[in-house]
Amino acid sequence: MFKITIGSKTFEMKTINVTVWNEFIHEQTDPAVAERYPKGIHTTIAEGLQPYNFNIRTATLEQPEHGLTEEVLDQTDVLIWWGHLAHEEVADEIVERMYERVLNGMGLIVLHSGHFSKIFKKLMGTSCDLKWRIADEKSRLWVVDPAHPITEGIGEYIELEEEEMYGEFFDIPAPEQLIFISWFKGGEVFRSGCAYHRRQGKIFYFQPGDERYPTYHNQEIIKVIANAVKWAASPHGATPTFGNADPLEDIN
């Protein structure tokens, strides 16, 4: 349980139903990825979210209707999406199904290469293309909105020793809320945490999570995702109230 505030009143939220979707291809075809995520990225994320007391299910591309039946989506408050190789293999019927759910209040969290998914591009209305470079690069995800519920408990930045570089220009609409900006060792920067509203639904894009790196074993990354779930599940106009931000470091 956590609380939300609407106007001057505070309410307790019900347990949040979360579906973690992963195309689940890399883990079955690349031994290095299988070693990192032996049960799949979706399972690692789901297991990382267990302490947050969500009701969690997983779904993959290979399941009937990609695991996203009408019944499953009816029971999903927030959908977490990870995709990379098979964007075009996701059936248009399922994309339309998700799209209508988002417009009517289902939260959507899009991770890493999911920026190129059919559902994210449809919601953004742009190509969602970006600069990228395959390299083992150190990166920092700098918090640019420390008052935002998604950054609760994170501090000034998250540092990752290895990630794939995503850089500007990122062809998305201007974020309604810019929450993280990433810096990479090669010098590029990237709007790596972007929030939107589409009618009644809340959408959060979060950049880190290349399959070759242990990103989803990082507890700060999981905390951001958990915070985003609570934010995205909150009704339109509600503010999650589930803790205070850690104090910022002194600035000289």
Side-chain angles (χ1 to χ4, degrees):
M1 289 285 189
F2 73 99
K3 296 179 180 180
I4 58 170
T5 299
I6 303 176
S8 60
K9 296 185 177 181
T10 299
F11 305 88
E12 284 194 349
M13 283 283 288
K14 67 179 180 64
T15 301
I16 300 170
N17 295 313
V18 179
T19 299
V20 184
W21 192 89
N22 172 24
E23 62 185 35
F24 196 34
I25 294 174
H26 290 284
E27 304 94 317
Q28 300 186 78
T29 58
D30 187 332
V33 178
E35 183 177 0
R36 186 80 73 192
Y37 298 105
K39 294 184 287 184
I41 286 172
H42 53 297
T43 303
T44 298
I45 294 172
E47 289 176 350
L49 293 175
Q50 287 290 347
Y52 295 91
N53 298 317
F54 305 137
N55 289 329
I56 305 171
R57 74 172 75 211
T58 61
T60 62
L61 180 74
E62 61 194 358
Q63 295 175 331
E65 299 182 62
H66 311 322
L68 300 173
T69 63
E70 297 274 9
E71 180 181 5
V72 167
L73 290 178
D74 283 345
Q75 297 173 10
T76 299
D77 298 312
V78 180
L79 175 63
I80 299 173
W81 187 273
W82 195 100
H84 188 190
L85 296 175
H87 299 307
E88 294 305 313
E89 295 179 35
V90 177
D92 291 341
E93 175 187 354
I94 306 302
V95 175
E96 289 297 324
R97 187 180 295 172
M98 292 186 289
Y99 181 75
E100 289 302 318
R101 294 303 198 292
V102 171
L103 295 185
N104 285 289
M106 183 182 77
L108 177 66
I109 299 171
V110 178
L111 301 174
H112 192 57
S113 296
H115 70 90
F116 225 48
S117 63
K118 286 181 179 180
I119 182 60
F120 190 63
K121 291 198 290 185
K122 184 175 179 67
L123 287 161
M124 295 298 103
T126 58
S127 74
C128 298
D129 205 357
L130 46 74
K131 181 193 289 187
W132 58 276
R133 177 174 61 245
I134 297 176
D136 299 340
E137 289 195 49
K138 184 175 182 176
S139 70
R140 278 187 177 182
L141 290 89
W142 288 94
V143 172
V144 295
D145 188 353
H148 198 284
I150 289 176
T151 66
E152 185 268 331
I154 296 302
E156 289 195 307
Y157 59 81
I158 300 171
E159 190 164 274
L160 299 173
E161 289 297 325
E162 295 178 311
E163 254 300 339
E164 180 179 37
M165 188 281 288
Y166 277 8
E168 299 293 341
F169 176 68
F170 187 14
D171 185 22
I172 53 172
E176 294 164 27
Q177 296 168 305
L178 181 59
I179 301 168
F180 291 94
I181 291 177
S182 286
W183 161 90
F184 293 86
K185 187 176 180 180
E188 287 83 5
V189 295
F190 185 69
R191 290 169 291 170
S192 53
C194 304
Y196 299 89
H197 293 75
R198 290 294 182 268
R199 216 156 74 192
Q200 297 301 313
K202 297 180 180 181
I203 304 157
F204 178 58
Y205 171 75
F206 193 43
Q207 171 267 326
D210 185 272
E211 71 280 356
R212 293 162 297 168
Y213 308 117
T215 304
Y216 297 121
H217 295 282
N218 182 303
Q219 291 307 301
E220 288 186 292
I221 296 297
I222 292 296
K223 183 170 181 58
V224 170
I225 295 172
N227 288 346
V229 166
K230 294 183 229 184
W231 170 81
S234 303
H236 222 307
T239 301
T241 54
F242 49 88
N244 297 313
D246 286 349
L248 298 181
E249 299 171 11
D250 290 338
I251 298 174
N252 296 321

